Amino acid sequence: MPLIILFSLLIIAVFWLDSLPVYRILYVIANLSVLIILFTAAETLSSVLPFVPWYQANGFSAVVIIYLAVWLGIFGVIQSALSKYLKIGRPLKCLPFAGAAVLSLSIAMPVDFGAAIQIFGSVAALALTIVQIILFALNFKNVFK
């Protein structure tokens, strides 16, 4: 909870101070948050698969995935707002929304395909995590010129 308060204060400072270093800090924080959320989603979706070390018999919770998808949407909006001030590539701006769509799709499927949906969701979230790392690294030098 204190991290959410600090993050909210940072967002307020961004639009109040209107300075480039603050925009860059928010850019890094938003991208690292998206990275952490995608990895957490991959771990959460795969927690019901018996062959992973973090297996829990009743570990999957659709509420957690919805919560993570909402946060991905919030960080997507933040990155879209930051693109007015920083040179952020279109794939990097769209990735949080794509992640939210994939996570929502992985819990909206019928339960008949239980394990297949969990594997699809966790592999897709892991792939999006890798893509996020690559896009963040490629776009990093454009933002910090």
Side-chain angles (χ1 to χ4, degrees), residues 55-119:
Y55 169 73
Q56 294 179 1
N58 55 357
F60 174 70
S61 175
V63 175
V64 172
I65 298 301
I66 292 171
Y67 179 73
L68 293 176
V70 167
W71 273 105
L72 279 174
I74 290 169
F75 284 115
V77 169
I78 289 170
Q79 284 191 11
S80 295
L82 281 175
S83 68
K84 292 186 227 175
Y85 308 106
L86 300 172
K87 190 174 182 180
I88 300 174
R90 177 176 239 161
L92 193 59
K93 287 190 300 188
C94 295
L95 190 100
F97 297 117
V102 166
L103 291 179
S104 300
L105 181 67
S106 67
I107 62 169
M109 294 289 210
V111 183
D112 300 341
F113 305 110
I117 292 173
Q118 301 304 320
I119 291 172

Side-chain angles (χ1 to χ4, degrees), residues 11-143:
I11 290 174
I12 291 168
V14 163
F15 296 108
W16 184 53
L17 293 176
D18 194 32
S19 89
L20 191 60
V22 178
Y23 293 144
R24 290 177 177 166
I25 291 170
L26 184 59
Y27 166 77
V28 170
I29 290 173
N31 279 295
L32 290 177
S33 298
V34 168
L35 182 69
I36 291 169
I37 288 171
L38 287 171
F39 184 75
T40 303
E43 191 175 24
T44 303
L45 284 168
S46 64
S47 67
V48 295
L49 302 172
F51 53 84
V52 295
W54 52 89
Y55 169 73
Q56 294 179 1
N58 55 357
F60 174 70
S61 175
V63 175
V64 172
I65 298 301
I66 292 171
Y67 179 73
L68 293 176
V70 167
W71 273 105
L72 279 174
I74 290 169
F75 284 115
V77 169
I78 289 170
Q79 284 191 11
S80 295
L82 281 175
S83 68
K84 292 186 227 175
Y85 308 106
L86 300 172
K87 190 174 182 180
I88 300 174
R90 177 176 239 161
L92 193 59
K93 287 190 300 188
C94 295
L95 190 100
F97 297 117
V102 166
L103 291 179
S104 300
L105 181 67
S106 67
I107 62 169
M109 294 289 210
V111 183
D112 300 341
F113 305 110
I117 292 173
Q118 301 304 320
I119 291 172
F120 163 75
S122 60
V123 168
L126 193 57
L128 284 172
T129 303
I130 293 169
V131 169
Q132 170 71 17
I133 292 170
I134 292 169
L135 290 175
F136 180 58
L138 291 175
N139 201 45
F140 191 78
K141 89 175 169 181
N142 290 340
V143 170

